[in-house]
Amino acid sequence: MISQALQLAAAFVVARYIYRKFTQISLADLQGPPSKSWLAGNIIDLFADSTGMLGARWQSVYGTVMKLNPQIFTENAILVTDPAALHYIFQGEGSASRFIRAPEWYAMADLLAGQCIGAVEGEVHKRHRKGIRPAFGVPETRALLPVFNAIAQKLCEKWEGIIALERGDSAVLNVSEWISKAALDTFGEVAFDYQFGGLDEKPTPLSQAMPTVLLETFGTTSAAQLVLLSILQYVPLSLIRYVLNDAPITGILPGIGYVRNTNKESERILRELIVDRRKMMSEGDKKKDIMGHILRAGLSEDPTSKLTDYEIVSELRFLLLAGQETSANTLTWALWELAKYPEIQTKLREEIAEARSNKAGKDFTTQDLQAMPLLNAVIKETLRFTPVVQNMFRENLTDDVLPLSSPITLKSGRSVKELPIPKGTKIYCNVTGYNMNPALWGEDAHVFNPQRWLNQDNESSNTLGMYANLMTFSAGAKGCIGWRFAVMQLQNLLSELIEKFEFALPEKGPKVVRANCMATQPMIEGQYEKGPQLPLVVRRAA
């Protein structure tokens, strides 16, 4: 009997091995792009891409989930654009908590802002989000519109003055620089009641540093730096903080020194503002800007929303960086696309003029801005076509299985509808690939076409993302908390600028590329050292 049992057990083991060998899926079975670097793998291709469409191109060749050659010291890496898989990773009930930001992301977020909402997980993340959420509610965001109006009108006046000095009806302006100043001035006022002075041409040291901090840190990412980033996943965060903030490594990584100086300046200013605001609050001040709401979280007796002073400073630094980059870059790209499609620009100007006449010249309300179909279509299409963040990084805490919205074909030719992934897989969630998936957006998904938003109701199936079924603001519990703020600022600034000015491409203008510096920034090819540039002909609207 024992002998028969052993034979049966051995047969079962052999059968199970054969079954797994020929039926289970390995990540090695996935198709994927070749690698040019054994050190950095395909990751350096993602960082070096100057088209903003690499993920979409790979998707068309290798499918919506593909194997990446990871940087050294990393075992498994995949790039995902499949809607069902992304929904499972970011907002699946019971599954999203199993996908954390990759540990090396903590290091980058901590370097830029400290212990902020972008650098924490689990219950700590929930506490941070609950603490700052009141600052970004619907009524709180709508109350900021008068400040948005004032800054938009000031920017228009500056451009009017420059055009007048040219003694003509137009001037070539680096719109990226000007819009960055306007966005930073806006955020300074609505967040801290602080004057950055960008549009007044009296910039503070912080306002001069903030627009280029991502460029200085991630603008020229090398294979060696990506390998270093890979190593960070095995290093305790306390040691990482010491290395990034205090260790003498600026000779090796020059960008670190720039970030350190920017961080010191921002922390100094923010702590001074916090002291002043707390004094005002003790005297009865009830100002409801972003800082006021977050400081109240510091006073909360509720342990599920209370923030420490260090966390408050970190959150304000993070929001300053994220709030300025998102709106400024998106609006810049919107003007670039409208300059390439003058017929769309003309129709948009007509829509705005009609809405203004109905208001008898008064400022637009949030309801007015929401009621302009083409204005909102252009904004959605810009967010789809040129997302500020091209990739979001995740890692699974357990072995898992990704559902797929459509089958993918393995190297063997086999078609599968789900994908097992081992614990610790590096998951590059490619925003551009998802936003340009033809199955979602049509065969012209690679073309800038605001009309798609007027012809179909993409938001009726809004199961992914914070806005318009797009991944641009991320999704789920870690989605961008300030997305309403960003959209309203885009609506306001774009409507003001298009109403007053026409935008055109310069004759024989330089080649503009989409530089991936953790944010998609406009650069002139061969002139990265000059920072973000987008020259456009700006002319008074007829």
Side-chain angles (χ1 to χ4, degrees):
M1 291 292 292
I2 295 176
S3 175
Q4 289 178 334
L6 289 174
Q7 289 176 2
L8 286 171
F12 174 75
V13 170
V14 170
R16 185 175 64 175
Y17 170 79
I18 293 173
Y19 174 79
R20 288 184 172 180
K21 178 72 174 176
F22 292 99
T23 63
Q24 285 203 331
I25 302 167
S26 165
L27 293 187
D29 297 332
L30 284 173
Q31 299 190 63
S35 172
K36 299 176 184 177
S37 170
W38 66 273
L39 275 174
N42 295 123
I43 315 307
I44 197 166
D45 298 323
L46 292 172
F47 277 90
D49 176 39
S50 62
T51 67
M53 296 188 180
L54 182 62
R57 292 202 305 273
W58 279 351
Q59 174 182 249
S60 67
V61 178
Y62 305 109
T64 56
V65 182
M66 67 197 76
K67 183 183 184 301
L68 296 181
N69 295 288
Q71 62 263 54
I72 194 171
F73 305 119
T74 299
E75 185 175 357
N76 294 306
I78 58 176
L79 186 139
V80 179
T81 63
D82 182 274
L86 291 172
H87 185 280
Y88 184 80
I89 292 168
F90 283 87
Q91 57 194 63
E93 185 175 352
S95 61
S97 60
R98 299 197 296 270
F99 293 86
I100 62 170
R101 297 182 181 94
E104 52 268 36
W105 167 259
Y106 301 145
M108 291 190 288
D110 197 85
L111 168 65
L112 292 170
Q115 196 172 0
C116 62
I117 194 171
V120 291
E121 290 285 349
E123 294 302 315
V124 179
H125 179 272
K126 291 178 182 177
R127 176 170 58 83
H128 278 244
R129 194 171 183 93
K130 186 176 179 180
I132 67 177
R133 186 188 297 130
F136 294 98
V138 174
E140 288 78 13
T141 302
R142 288 179 174 175
L144 303 176
L145 187 56
V147 179
F148 291 177
N149 278 328
I151 299 293
Q153 290 165 13
K154 180 184 288 188
L155 176 60
C156 291
E157 290 170 3
K158 291 292 180 181
W159 285 3
E160 287 278 5
I162 293 172
I163 292 172
L165 289 175
E166 294 288 325
R167 296 185 179 181
D169 65 347
S170 68
V172 177
L173 301 177
N174 178 5
V175 297
S176 176
E177 178 184 10
W178 280 101
I179 291 172
S180 179
K181 289 177 180 179
L184 193 58
D185 282 0
T186 300
F187 201 81
E189 288 199 30
V190 301
F192 323 121
D193 194 23
Y194 178 78
Q195 305 297 318
F196 276 111
L199 290 180
D200 292 326
E201 299 182 60
K202 298 177 182 178
T204 65
L206 182 58
S207 65
Q208 290 176 310
M210 284 303 301
T212 57
V213 66
L214 291 179
L215 173 64
E216 293 290 340
T217 312
F218 303 108
T220 54
T221 306
S222 65
Q225 288 171 324
L226 287 172
V227 171
L228 175 62
L229 189 62
S230 180
I231 295 172
L232 291 180
Q233 64 187 296
Y234 304 108
V235 180
L237 189 55
S238 58
L239 179 57
I240 292 174
R241 285 175 175 155
Y242 164 72
V243 171
L244 295 179
N245 295 312
D246 300 301
I249 59 172
T250 53
I252 304 172
L253 298 172
I256 294 293
Y258 189 91
V259 178
R260 285 177 180 176
N261 291 334
T262 303
N263 287 347
K264 287 178 182 177
E265 182 67 13
S266 64
E267 183 164 352
R268 180 187 67 79
I269 291 172
L270 289 172
R271 287 193 179 277
E272 289 177 357
L273 291 172
I274 288 171
V275 170
D276 291 343
R277 179 59 61 82
R278 280 181 171 158
K279 181 180 178 182
M280 293 168 62
M281 289 171 68
S282 69
E283 296 171 352
D285 178 77
K286 295 182 179 180
K287 187 181 290 291
K288 293 184 178 181
D289 57 9
I290 293 173
M291 175 181 280
H293 285 290
I294 295 177
L295 287 180
R296 289 182 184 90
L299 298 173
S300 173
E301 296 298 325
D302 181 359
T304 66
S305 62
K306 186 176 179 63
L307 300 176
T308 67
D309 279 3
Y310 174 68
E311 290 170 339
I312 289 171
V313 172
S314 296
E315 292 297 355
L316 293 173
R317 280 166 54 190
F318 178 72
L319 292 171
L320 175 61
L321 179 65
Q324 187 269 340
E325 286 290 342
T326 304
S327 300
N329 281 303
T330 302
L331 181 58
T332 299
W333 289 118
L335 295 178
W336 169 250
E337 294 299 336
L338 290 171
K340 291 193 289 184
Y341 296 96
E343 67 282 1
I344 300 176
Q345 186 181 157
T346 299
K347 289 180 181 178
L348 177 56
R349 188 171 296 107
E350 291 171 352
E351 177 182 85
I352 296 166
E354 182 179 355
R356 184 74 75 186
S357 66
N358 293 336
K359 293 287 292 183
K362 295 180 181 178
D363 289 338
F364 292 135
T365 65
T366 54
Q367 291 82 0
D368 297 326
L369 295 171
Q370 290 283 5
M372 291 187 236
L374 185 55
L375 173 69
N376 289 283
V378 168
I379 290 170
K380 290 172 185 175
E381 186 67 352
T382 305
L383 289 166
R384 184 192 73 84
F385 195 68
T386 316
V388 173
V389 177
Q390 296 180 21
N391 295 282
M392 298 174 188
F393 314 110
R394 292 293 185 267
E395 181 175 314
N396 51 318
L397 292 172
T398 62
D399 290 346
D400 219 314
V401 180
L402 293 181
L404 303 175
S405 60
S406 56
I408 58 173
T409 303
L410 304 179
K411 291 179 181 178
S412 63
R414 180 183 170 194
S415 180
V416 297
K417 294 183 178 180
E418 59 181 24
L419 180 71
I421 54 173
K423 174 184 176 180
T425 299
K426 302 295 181 185
I427 305 170
Y428 291 78
C429 303
N430 187 260
V431 179
T432 308
Y434 168 82
N435 282 359
M436 294 188 182
N437 187 334
L440 292 173
W441 310 103
E443 291 304 314
D444 68 341
H446 62 290
V447 175
F448 182 84
N449 177 21
Q451 190 67 32
R452 77 178 76 250
W453 298 95
L454 304 176
N455 293 342
Q456 58 188 19
D457 184 10
N458 287 290
E459 294 182 81
S460 63
S461 59
N462 187 15
T463 59
L464 185 64
M466 313 298 288
Y467 176 68
N469 202 21
L470 297 168
M471 271 295 291
T472 307
F473 291 116
S474 189
K478 295 179 187 137
C480 176
I481 200 166
W483 70 268
R484 291 186 184 89
F485 177 100
V487 170
M488 192 171 76
Q489 186 175 20
L490 288 168
Q491 292 169 330
N492 171 258
L493 262 174
L494 187 58
S495 63
E496 290 287 336
L497 294 179
I498 294 298
E499 181 180 21
K500 293 181 173 63
F501 302 101
E502 296 176 4
F503 298 87
L505 301 178
E507 290 187 24
K508 299 180 181 180
K511 182 179 180 180
V512 175
V513 298
R514 303 181 188 185
N516 184 6
C517 313
M518 297 305 291
T520 308
Q521 302 203 24
M523 303 278 186
I524 292 178
E525 189 174 52
Q527 297 184 17
Y528 279 32
E529 74 284 355
K530 294 183 179 180
Q533 295 186 79
L534 187 67
L536 291 178
V537 177
V538 181
R539 178 178 292 106
R540 293 188 188 93

